[in-house]
Amino acid sequence: MIPASFEYVVAHSLDETVGLLAKHGSDAKILSGGMSLIPAMKLRLAQPAFIIDVNGVSGLAYIREEHGELRIGAMTRESALERSSLVKHGYPILFETARVIADPLVRNRATIGGNLAHADPANDHPATMLALGATIVAHGPNGDRLIPIDEFFPSFFASALEPDEILTEIRIPAPGVRNGGAYIKFERKVGDYAIAAVAVNLTLDAHDTCIAARIGLTNVTDVPARATRAEAFLVGRRITDQAIADASRLAAHESDPKSDLRGSAEYKRDLVRVLAGRAIGRAVSRARGGSH
Amino acid sequence: MALRTVNFTINGEAKSVQAESRQLLVHCIRETLGLTGTHVGCETSHCGACTIHLDGEPVKSCTMFAVQAEGKSLTTVEGLAVGGTLNPVQEGFWEEHGLQCGFCTPGMMMTATALLRTVNEPTETEIREAISGNLCRCTGYVNIVKAIQYAQRKMHATPAPEAVLQGGD
Amino acid sequence: MTQTIPMTSAAIGGMGHSMKRKEDPRFLQGKGNYVEDVNLPGMLWMDIVRSPYAHAKIVSIDASKALAIPGVLAVITGKDLEAYNLHWMPTLMSDTQMVLPVDKVMYQAQEVAAVIATDRYIAADGAAVVDVEYEELPVVVDPFKALLPDAPVLRTDKPGKTDNHIFHWEAGDAAVTDKAFADADVVVKQDIYIPRIHVASIETCGCVASFEKTEGKLTVWMTTQAPHAIRTVFALVAGHVGLSEEKIRIISPDIGGGFGGKVPVYPGYVIAVAASVLIGKPVKWIEDRMENLQADSFARDYHTTAELAATKDGKLTALRFKTLADHGYADAAANPSKFPAGLYHICTGSYDLQAAHVEVDGAYTNKPPGGVAYRCSFRVTEAVHTIERMVDIMAHQIGMDPAALRMKNFIEKDQFPYKSVLGWEYDSGDYHAALQKAMDIIGYDDLRREQLEKRARGEFMGIGISSFTEIVGAGPSKDFDILGIKMFDSAEIRVHPTGKAIARFGTKSQGQGHETTYAQIVAQELGIPMAHVQVEEGDTDTAPYGLGTYASRSTPTSGAAAAMAARKIRDKARKIAAYVMEVAEEDLEWEPGKFTVKGNPEAFKTIQEIAFAAYTNHPQGMEAGLEATHYYDPPNLTFPFGSYICVVDIDAGTGQVHVRRFVAVDDCGNIINPMIVDGQIHGGLSMGLAPSLYEEISYDEAGNCLGGSFIDYLVPTAVETPNWETDKTITPSPHHPFGAKGVGESATVGAPPAIANAVVDALWHLGVRHIDIPMTPSKVWKVLRDHGVTG
């Protein structure tokens, strides 16, 4: 499979990138990891006239805590997230997300920014970022703009980025006391998109009452989405097996999967229930200080 | 078709090639440079037959454009053996019958070589996860795992032989 | 008869030694030579335009935009080939299939036109802009509906054809079987579907065709498992346009996996040859993965209603299979001519059954033509899967342990050679020993106890057994031919003056390690170190004629030929040794590598000394040289066997089947290279796992191919694949020159029912009787929920 011809431009700075985006508009595509874009181009599903390679823009690959947030540069490779001890120990939900994306070789190229900007409901980071309540930093002609993750996926395969903006950073609130998260993905085999996956991030008080909960769903909605009724159900409730089971049922109800080769809609909805139950259970265990 | 000049090193040798923007890196390696040990088995980044090292990290060269290799250091299977001596991974694949048709083997060995450079004593599970981006249809992976374990033992049994540590990148 | 093979020294490296492979150094260093690595001066590239529709009339093809692209030299259509009467070609089953269509397409992804250009990128650009106007026709996807009276007739090219029926074939005595069923205490009946799958070798198919006009010589490097047969097919198909067999050279270079998918002649090869002949330059065609999965020959697609009868105490009495085979739009199977359903009538398996009747009907549908094997001997996997599933269903039905039921019904060791009720003569076997060994290794009784405990806790754990009998090594010339060519195979050995040898064969390795194992056979028979035996295959200009490598036939046929040719050489060597040592031939004793004078161990001549003498000091009146050729016509097929036991755990929440353990005890007779045999079994097991749990190619109502890329065609990775545990028993074949049987496919044949039986075993108590493969999470989840398990 051979991509159609295009013009290749290397950007050396964010401003140059934004200028190129402004000039070429929707004819241009940003090339970061390329792990979604290049296969689409090879299949000629995507035929952009201009490719703007941002791999040469320095200062976009980092993982650091500052201002009470975890800040991740958009060009950070998935493999860097997997290898980061800060991520592994401080944000296990993010570690669990990164390490189930595609396969290890793809993760050496794929970037977290690309995963989010592609706005594919089958991608793994959107659900996790929804659960974490992340903020997206977009850079455009007027500088930086902060976009709450809840507003980042407005419609099918579309992000809230303007045509002349580039995603530069992801900000995740640092976990508070008795906070725990988990991402559980069920796939047909390594390298597959999720049949379904559930991201859960919650906080308990000293008496095991849930005081905050966010749940993100992967590949079971048209756009990356939260299971808000399940979240609302959990908040204010003492965590019991029954509460987890009830919340999981609500999450399943909120999913809207389509039948395909991965399974029937009915199957996927039930899978959301099962995975939500397991993810909530793991998140609770972490919130309580368990290691697992 | 506009061609660009792309400069990189491959297996330690500096190269300057002319590439169309859309030329896939694997085609540049195979056809422009004639290094046909790197293979193509799919177009959806699933099989890993095209795995090479890009600045030391294993990547799928069918999912990169040749122009992206500008300024990079590449290693292909042809660069694994140093001075005609097989590297420990190559030796392990031979000793443990880690290959049959040989088509996935170069990519598999590139991944394995990178794994052993970054993880000292990978468990069987870690080895299996590490090679999960490389499909093999012949071996059932059992002997590939053994081959990598052989290489791991060999690298640790022989303290710091230059040729082994340099590996070829 | 038991054949004991003397063990040679490691320096000689004859049979039984795990010699490292001679072919590996080139593969390990990226120096393999696969078809895509072949580049010739002035070479052009071909890309193929394919149909988006499963059934459509071609209204027009407009190539003007493609031809306007600089570098596009030609666009070839069916009409161009029709001018030479090359637009249709015969299949190996004496059906016909299109090379390029003239009036209509019959499946999605069928070849419609070919673009020839100076570069692969330009060829792809050209293919993208060839405008084809189609008029959709009604699509027939379901083979059962295809046979209904009102179904559209697909093969309108066949004069007088009024339905979509291809063939009816049957074996066994229907009346005797009916009576046995009528008399039976217990009868179990089950519909079993074995889906379409694809071998998906990691190297796809392709060729470089080079026609040299001045000499009229055609050379084709191609991904073929059977180069000699291909040469003859090309000569037969294109003789009328001047291709003559002595001027056709087929070279099968290193092959990146075959598994049966590289046996057929695909349209792409023929178009590339036609393009090279027309344009006068070499033309390269390398299909991509989607073309490979969507258009190349598939395997399986058997719909069977199976019945098995038994007494109430578990003695199996009769079997009845009725099968509908979906062949796509052409019967392009790769079976021996007399067997339209292959060797499916091995379906009485490892059991001493007194009555059996099996029927197969073939149907045309709007799908790619086939079906070839998927790492198995002609339809044996279908047979084994069905009998092994039925035996398990019977065991559960009458409340007998599946192992005990098998033990009770196995053909006994002393019954061999065993004549089956469907007409085969099994050469040798010891089925009880293999199953017992597998049970001992896995700890069968403990597992059954664990299963009971788990079941009590509501957990789902299953244990599955498969005790298969393979049938390989096709085959004896009285019954076996492909397009009339008998299925012998060949070896030619030349011993050089310095005692080194070259050996050439009619087969073609695709990873099986022939360069090593054949050298070991020669080493065993002549005592020449295997390191000094150069093995070559795959070039029709140099190798002796043979039918190729598939159906686990290389060791049973060409391997046997190697031994026979070596023995001819040894006979001559004896004469030379006697002459040189001035003793009588009868006074000489052979051991691998030398002739010694009886009673005088100091007086001997090595094979190397004899080889030198063959060129420097041979007896007057004897031909000089030391070489021999043998075309081996096997007296019978060989019947490898084994018992596999699989343990699975099922996640009731997700429906996922986890293979916890898998023990494989194989018996392939005497072993040439234990390391390679183990590797063959590992690979075979993995290709048994794949269709059991992951792989399937299916079609929607419109005939759209589902699972036509590696996104959805789920080849397992190292993570999904368990750590296979292998062991063996050895029961030599009594009729093979060194007692070997073949092993490349046993595990692919034997593994699926072990896995399927384990899954059903875990769920039987819920009322589950059968699940078709692949047992995907979604399918198992549905079964669980349908039986009240909420997870």
Side-chain angles (χ1 to χ4, degrees), chain B residues 22-24 27 30-31 36-37 41 43 90 94-95 97 100-103 109 128 132 137-141, chain C residues 20-21 28 34 36-37 120-121 125 199 288-290 374 510-511 679-680 682-683 686 695 716 718 721:
Chain B
R22 62 172 171 163
Q23 187 186 38
L24 299 171
H27 289 148
R30 286 182 50 81
E31 287 160 24
T36 55
E43 48 281 348
Q90 291 171 300
W94 197 9
E95 291 288 339
H97 190 30
Q100 290 182 25
C101 81
F103 198 79
M109 294 192 305
R128 285 178 177 272
S132 62
R137 202 59 162 161
C138 296
T139 65
Y141 304 107
Chain C
K20 283 199 291 180
R21 297 202 322 169
L28 291 167
Y34 301 91
E36 194 172 351
D37 304 338
R120 74 191 312 163
Y121 283 65
D125 289 345
V199 297
D288 66 36
R289 177 58 58 191
M290 292 166 76
Y374 170 110
Q510 311 122 41
Q680 289 294 304
H682 293 157
S686 301
E695 296 172 2
T721 308

Side-chain angles (χ1 to χ4, degrees), chain C residues 175-186:
Chain C
V176 168
T177 306
D178 289 349
K179 174 150 193 332
F181 270 93
D183 294 345
D185 297 337
V186 190

Side-chain angles (χ1 to χ4, degrees), chain B residues 1 20 22-24 27 30-31 35-37 39-44 46-47 49 77-78 80-81 84 86 89-91 93-97 99-106 109 124 127-129 131-143 145-146, chain C residues 20-22 24-25 27-32 34 36-37 39 45 120-122 125 198-204 255-257 259 288-290 374-375 510-511 675-676 679-680 682-684 686-687 690 695 709-711 713 715-719 721-724:
Chain B
M1 215 63 68
E20 204 186 330
R22 62 172 171 163
Q23 187 186 38
L24 299 171
H27 289 148
R30 286 182 50 81
E31 287 160 24
L35 296 168
T36 55
H39 298 145
V40 178
C42 73
E43 48 281 348
T44 51
H46 283 84
C47 82
V77 65
E78 289 90 345
L80 287 183
L86 299 182
V89 169
Q90 291 171 300
E91 192 183 316
F93 271 69
W94 197 9
E95 291 288 339
E96 298 289 348
H97 190 30
L99 68 155
Q100 290 182 25
C101 81
F103 198 79
C104 77
T105 311
M109 294 192 305
E124 180 182 332
I127 291 172
R128 285 178 177 272
E129 285 175 359
I131 60 170
S132 62
N134 298 82
L135 296 178
C136 171
R137 202 59 162 161
C138 296
T139 65
Y141 304 107
V142 176
N143 287 348
V145 172
K146 285 187 192 161
Chain C
K20 283 199 291 180
R21 297 202 322 169
K22 292 170 63 120
D24 285 356
F27 294 134
L28 291 167
Q29 295 175 84
K31 301 297 183 195
Y34 301 91
E36 194 172 351
D37 304 338
N39 290 301
W45 280 84
R120 74 191 312 163
Y121 283 65
I122 297 170
D125 289 345
H198 196 287
V199 297
S201 50
I202 304 300
E203 179 199 39
T204 61
I255 299 291
F259 313 116
D288 66 36
R289 177 58 58 191
M290 292 166 76
Y374 170 110
R375 197 171 182 153
Q510 311 122 41
M675 174 190 83
I676 286 179
Q680 289 294 304
H682 293 157
S686 301
M687 289 185 77
E695 296 172 2
S709 76
F710 274 171
I711 297 169
Y713 194 75
V715 174
T717 74
V719 167
T721 308
N723 193 357
W724 307 112

Side-chain angles (χ1 to χ4, degrees), chain C residues 596-607:
Chain C
T596 307
V597 177
K598 283 179 191 164
N600 183 3
E602 302 301 311
F604 63 85
K605 285 287 169 194
T606 65
I607 188 71

Side-chain angles (χ1 to χ4, degrees), chain C residues 40-63:
Chain C
L40 301 175
M43 189 178 76
L44 305 174
W45 280 84
M46 181 171 96
D47 205 327
I48 292 179
V49 179
R50 291 177 184 273
S51 170
Y53 299 110
H55 196 197
K57 189 172 179 313
I58 295 173
V59 177
S60 64
I61 300 175
D62 178 359

